[in-house]
Amino acid sequence: MSKTTVNDVSTESGPERAAGAPRAVGGSRAFALLLVITGAAGLLAAWVITLDKNKILEAKLAGKTFTPGCSVNPIVSCGSVMESKQAAAFGFPNPWLGLVCYGIVICVGMSLLSRARFPRWYWLTFNFGTLFGVGFCTWLQFQSLYRINALCLWCSLAWVATITMFWFVTSFNVRNDFLPAPRWLKSFFGEFTWVVPVTHCGIIAMLILTRWGSQLWA
């Protein structure tokens, strides 16, 4: 992934901005594409999981068994995750939430590609949404590793997409002074934003390997 710099953002100034109006900020093409791509990856994962979940329910009603294509062994078993109680944490299938939220992320990215600009409250609300997404994914990761004892590959794709968009949106807000941060952190995000999501995903990968090791491909 390309290096992210402070110049990746654009702000409204001069005659384009009315006196006393809140500062509106737009993102670079790279940032917009990152949102579109991560949103699309999460949406794809949510869509496939939804389809497989429906097939599992249909098979049960018919007295049959349906095994999702991503269930390759007892550990990498999407079906086990989909049939767990954690798969409907809010009383409905988790992917339904993903279908809505990842769609919103794609819309934001497409708006930025069309040179849209948004005020501080908008970016902070968007950041809070991605924070909720990361928090929910972290809970699902714990449940998957230590309670369900199975890993869903499509869920993993959604985790990576959510983690990536969260850190880049947070970096965007820090660099635009929408989130208070010390100068060294702003400087770090200006040069090495990509390091944080890579490290975050790397930690999760290490936890997965530590938990199951060679059983993942047995």
Side-chain angles (χ1 to χ4, degrees):
M1 188 176 294
S2 61
K3 182 174 68 175
T4 303
T5 66
V6 177
N7 292 329
D8 281 339
V9 298
S10 58
T11 58
E12 193 174 19
S13 60
E16 297 180 5
R17 180 184 172 194
R23 183 167 66 102
V25 177
S28 68
R29 182 179 179 84
F31 179 57
L33 287 174
L34 180 135
L35 292 179
V36 172
I37 292 171
T38 54
L43 186 64
L44 173 63
W47 178 248
V48 173
I49 294 171
T50 299
L51 292 179
D52 284 347
K53 177 68 174 179
N54 289 339
K55 291 177 182 178
I56 289 174
L57 294 176
E58 290 173 357
K60 282 187 175 182
L61 291 175
K64 301 177 182 179
T65 301
F66 173 77
T67 302
C70 58
S71 294
V72 297
N73 58 42
I75 301 300
V76 183
S77 177
C78 297
S80 298
V81 177
M82 293 176 192
E83 295 187 79
S84 68
K85 63 180 182 180
Q86 292 90 334
F90 300 102
F92 54 86
N94 296 340
W96 291 7
L97 185 62
L99 290 174
V100 175
C101 295
Y102 291 123
I104 292 174
V105 174
I106 294 174
C107 289
V108 173
M110 294 300 292
S111 297
L112 293 177
L113 285 175
S114 64
R115 300 183 182 277
R117 291 185 173 92
F118 303 108
R120 179 175 184 267
W121 68 265
Y122 186 98
W123 286 113
L124 292 181
T125 301
F126 188 45
N127 209 160
F128 177 80
T130 59
L131 175 62
F132 170 80
V134 165
F136 187 47
C137 285
T138 300
W139 180 78
L140 290 173
Q141 290 155 14
F142 176 83
Q143 296 297 319
S144 181
L145 268 69
Y146 305 111
R147 296 294 182 267
I148 305 172
N149 295 313
L151 183 67
C152 171
L153 295 180
W154 287 110
C155 296
S156 299
L157 174 61
W159 297 345
V160 172
T162 304
I163 289 169
T164 302
M165 71 176 66
F166 165 72
W167 284 114
F168 273 89
V169 171
T170 300
S171 170
F172 180 92
N173 281 329
V174 167
R175 290 182 287 113
N176 278 282
D177 296 319
F178 290 158
L179 285 173
R183 180 174 298 180
W184 67 265
L185 183 58
K186 292 175 64 176
S187 178
F188 174 82
F189 273 139
E191 297 288 338
F192 302 109
T193 298
W194 63 271
V195 172
V196 187
V198 168
T199 302
H200 192 157
C201 292
I203 291 172
I204 296 170
M206 289 181 62
L207 290 173
I208 292 173
L209 290 173
T210 301
R211 176 71 177 84
W212 290 302
S214 60
Q215 297 180 62
L216 288 170
W217 49 81

